[in-house]
Amino acid sequence: MTKILIIEDEATIAQLERDYFELNGFTVDLCYTGDEGLKLALGEDYSLIIVDLMLPGLDGFELCRRIREVKEVPILVVSAKKEEIDKIRTFNLGVDDFITKPFSPSELVARAKAHLTRYERLLGKNKPAEQDEIHIRGLQIDKASRRVFARGDEVAITTKEFDLLVFLASHPNRVFSKTELFERIWGMDSSGDIATVTVHIRKLRGKLEADPSNPEYIETVWGAGYRFTV
């Protein structure tokens, strides 16, 4: 059974989330503070973690940052915060999805399942290992080992950044809108959440480009989207 962790200080919401996930065959651990959540997240093996932002003790932003520094596990934020800046901040921390309260428990479970399926695919589970590599002007992308090298140096890259880079590099010179990229990489309705595409593109440029302000690889096509130039 898939084991997940829910970190939520409102007991009623936490228990509602737990009930829906257990009805769908998940094993669930609950905790109600950021400090307890960090201890469990780093000390146990979870397939997915759900985090509230407004937690007693360690807040959700810092909690997500510390988890992502150590583990590549899907992290979903469920929060009453609705400002776009809060979403952008969480995406910058490596969070995979942001769901605003009040929310549909069924939608939360569906999104969690989508992220779990994607992580399994990206990490090479349930399919033969790929050996393909992409080499473009000093950039090397190793799909099998999920490693990226720019000008001979290995680049630290997150799961979503790697997936976005591979997708763009596998379709060179083709323009994709932010909406298309969000739907292809995150695999769900992109309404209101496409800001994460801009965030991930900016982070990729910072890691790959010699001059991020004059990108060599990922080009902005104003009014249309982005393309990987070869």
Side-chain angles (χ1 to χ4, degrees):
M1 297 176 68
T2 303
K3 185 178 180 182
I4 70 170
L5 173 63
I6 296 174
I7 309 170
E8 166 66 63
D9 66 322
E10 294 186 51
T12 301
I13 293 178
Q15 291 161 12
L16 175 66
E17 292 173 348
R18 178 192 61 194
D19 291 346
Y20 268 80
F21 276 102
E22 288 182 344
L23 284 171
N24 281 270
F26 291 83
T27 298
V28 181
D29 284 347
L30 290 183
C31 65
Y32 303 98
T33 70
D35 298 292
E36 181 187 3
L38 181 63
K39 182 178 179 180
L40 285 172
L42 299 186
E44 303 285 340
D45 288 327
Y46 293 102
S47 299
L48 180 138
I49 299 173
I50 296 174
V51 178
D52 183 21
L53 291 180
M54 295 180 286
L55 294 167
L58 194 69
D59 70 32
F61 294 108
E62 182 64 13
L63 177 60
C64 291
R65 185 187 70 80
R66 294 195 191 181
I67 294 172
R68 182 56 77 226
E69 283 181 343
V70 178
K71 293 196 172 183
E72 276 295 341
V73 57
I75 302 175
L76 278 61
V77 164
V78 179
S79 176
K81 286 182 172 289
K82 299 180 180 180
E83 297 298 324
E84 184 177 9
I85 188 62
D86 294 314
K87 292 184 178 182
I88 293 174
R89 185 178 174 189
T90 59
F91 290 137
N92 268 320
L93 294 171
V95 167
D96 296 276
D97 203 354
F98 192 111
I99 300 169
T100 304
K101 296 178 182 176
F103 62 93
S104 161
S106 297
E107 180 184 355
L108 174 61
V109 173
R111 289 194 179 208
K113 287 181 176 179
H115 286 292
L116 284 167
T117 299
R118 188 156 297 102
Y119 264 70
E120 289 178 353
R121 186 179 73 244
L122 294 176
L123 294 175
K125 297 180 181 179
N126 302 324
K127 70 172 185 178
E130 296 182 359
Q131 299 299 324
D132 293 344
E133 292 188 1
I134 298 175
H135 295 265
I136 300 174
R137 299 191 313 279
L139 181 65
Q140 176 186 347
I141 306 170
D142 188 327
K143 295 182 181 179
S145 66
R146 300 187 60 79
R147 300 172 72 187
V148 177
F149 299 84
R151 295 170 294 281
D153 295 324
E154 184 167 5
V155 176
I157 194 167
T158 68
T159 298
K160 280 293 188 294
E161 290 167 1
F162 184 87
D163 196 29
L164 179 58
L165 175 62
V166 168
F167 179 78
L168 287 170
S170 298
H171 300 84
N173 298 321
R174 178 177 169 183
V175 178
F176 292 94
S177 69
K178 295 178 184 178
T179 298
E180 287 178 307
L181 290 173
F182 190 87
E183 291 174 348
R184 295 292 187 101
I185 305 306
W186 281 262
M188 60 193 72
D189 179 10
S190 64
S191 178
D193 287 323
I194 61 173
T196 190
V197 175
T198 302
V199 170
H200 281 72
I201 292 291
R202 184 173 68 245
K203 291 172 74 174
L204 278 172
R205 284 173 173 164
K207 295 177 179 182
L208 303 178
E209 304 282 2
D211 178 7
S213 63
N214 186 28
E216 175 184 358
Y217 301 113
I218 303 176
E219 178 185 0
T220 298
V221 181
W222 296 109
Y226 301 100
R227 68 181 167 206
F228 192 96
T229 304
V230 298

